[in-house]
Amino acid sequence: MIAIAPNLTILVGELVGARLISHAGSLMNLAKHPASTVQILGAEKALFRALKTKHDTPKYGLIYHAQLVGQSSTKLKGKMSRMLAAKAALACRVDALGDDVNTDLGTEHRAKLESRLRMLEQGGMTRLSGTGKQKAKFDVYQNKSEVRQYAAAADSTLPTKRKTEEAATPSKRPKVEEVKTPAAEEAEVTEKKDKKKKKKKQTEEEEEEAAAAPVEVVTPKSEKKKKKKDKSAESEPEAMVVDEAPVAEEAGEKKKKKKKKAAE
């Protein structure tokens, strides 16, 4: 294999390379295949079955047994087999149609695939750094995102508890003493004197009105009750006298009638 296809053996290995050449028929036939068919070589039954049933086509064939595909994780096996098939197709063409037989192309492609696999397994985003003249280098990009939380309390315009408490409680700041001028002090003294004079006048006027008003004799409640009782006692015997007169007349009439009957 190193004598026939050195670049393919470095990329895929001796056994897998020999199986691919035997499946295609020769190295020239393998070189004529595109990368997509190199990837699926050995899985023709699965391919036609998937096309008939309209299911997903297979991702790999004989190339699945290569070292690079085997050491990658299950999620990256399909991606790795696609990249390896593309490089293997180039290597076959160089081996079949190249004048100089060298292994430089195979080693370079293998190194690129290994670095790419390492980067994919790390899971970090990549950033292309470099200019047009220099070769581009793949650096691992570390995303440092700051998480900012939205303050929901800023939405409401209603007064919060803190503001209401501050309004209710007086401030603890020291009071600033006001410096009064002599003119202001004289004005305060005069205002106080005027207020005293007005109060005196009001009290004098109230006393005069009270003296001029007629005096009403206020009888206590106990005396009023006694008077009512006396009036009720005086009215009761009169009623009794009025009721006794007709009763006495009726009794006399009855006696006269009895006497008449006895005489008869």
Side-chain angles (χ1 to χ4, degrees):
M1 279 298 295
I2 289 166
I4 296 164
N7 293 308
L8 185 64
T9 51
I10 288 167
L11 276 172
V12 180
E14 294 88 357
L15 268 173
V16 178
R19 283 179 184 177
L20 286 170
I21 291 166
S22 68
H23 199 80
S26 65
L27 184 62
M28 188 61 73
N29 289 338
L30 186 63
K32 289 175 184 178
H33 288 312
S36 59
T37 53
V38 173
Q39 183 183 350
I40 301 168
L41 273 176
E44 285 83 4
K45 283 185 180 180
L47 175 66
F48 295 130
R49 196 189 308 122
L51 290 169
K52 279 182 182 179
T53 56
K54 294 182 180 179
H55 287 295
D56 295 332
T57 54
K59 293 179 181 178
Y60 27 69
L62 291 167
I63 210 167
Y64 179 79
H65 301 287
Q67 188 181 358
L68 287 168
V69 179
Q71 70 187 10
S72 59
S73 60
T74 53
K75 289 181 181 179
L76 299 173
K77 278 186 191 298
K79 194 177 281 188
M80 200 66 212
S81 66
R82 186 174 68 248
M83 290 189 289
L84 184 61
K87 301 299 180 187
L90 289 172
C92 289
R93 287 164 195 171
V94 170
D95 291 335
L97 304 166
D99 296 330
D100 299 327
V101 180
N102 294 323
T103 57
D104 298 336
L105 186 75
T107 52
E108 189 180 345
H109 286 330
R110 190 178 175 87
K112 281 182 183 178
L113 288 170
E114 284 175 353
S115 65
R116 178 71 177 155
L117 178 63
R118 202 181 303 113
M119 220 159 36
L120 289 168
E121 283 178 350
Q122 284 177 0
M125 293 179 70
T126 56
R127 182 181 48 163
L128 205 66
S129 64
T131 59
K133 293 178 182 178
Q134 295 177 352
K135 289 183 179 180
K137 295 178 182 178
F138 287 98
D139 297 333
V140 178
Y141 178 72
Q142 293 179 354
N143 187 16
K144 294 179 181 178
S145 61
E146 295 180 0
V147 179
R148 294 182 182 179
Q149 292 182 350
Y150 177 72
D155 288 345
S156 64
T157 56
L158 297 170
T160 56
K161 288 183 179 179
R162 198 172 184 180
K163 289 181 181 178
T164 52
E165 286 175 0
E166 285 178 1
T169 56
S171 59
K172 295 180 180 179
R173 291 180 182 176
K175 293 181 179 180
V176 181
E177 294 180 357
E178 296 179 357
V179 179
K180 295 181 180 179
T181 57
E185 288 178 358
E186 288 178 2
E188 284 183 1
V189 171
T190 51
E191 283 178 2
K192 286 179 182 179
K193 286 181 180 179
D194 292 334
K195 285 180 181 178
K196 285 180 181 179
K197 286 179 181 179
K198 284 180 182 178
K199 282 182 181 179
K200 281 182 182 180
K201 283 182 181 180
Q202 286 178 358
T203 51
E204 287 174 359
E205 287 175 358
E206 287 175 358
E207 286 175 358
E208 287 176 0
E209 288 176 358
V215 180
E216 293 180 356
V217 178
V218 180
T219 57
K221 291 182 180 179
S222 61
E223 289 179 2
K224 285 181 181 179
K225 286 180 181 179
K226 284 179 183 179
K227 286 180 181 179
K228 285 181 180 178
K229 284 180 181 179
D230 294 338
K231 285 180 181 179
S232 62
E234 288 174 359
S235 61
E236 280 176 1
E238 289 177 358
M240 291 294 288
V241 171
V242 172
D243 293 335
E244 284 174 0
V247 172
E249 287 177 359
E250 287 178 0
E253 287 177 357
K254 284 179 181 181
K255 284 179 181 180
K256 285 178 182 180
K257 285 178 181 180
K258 283 180 181 182
K259 285 177 180 181
K260 282 180 182 181
K261 284 179 181 181
E264 290 174 356

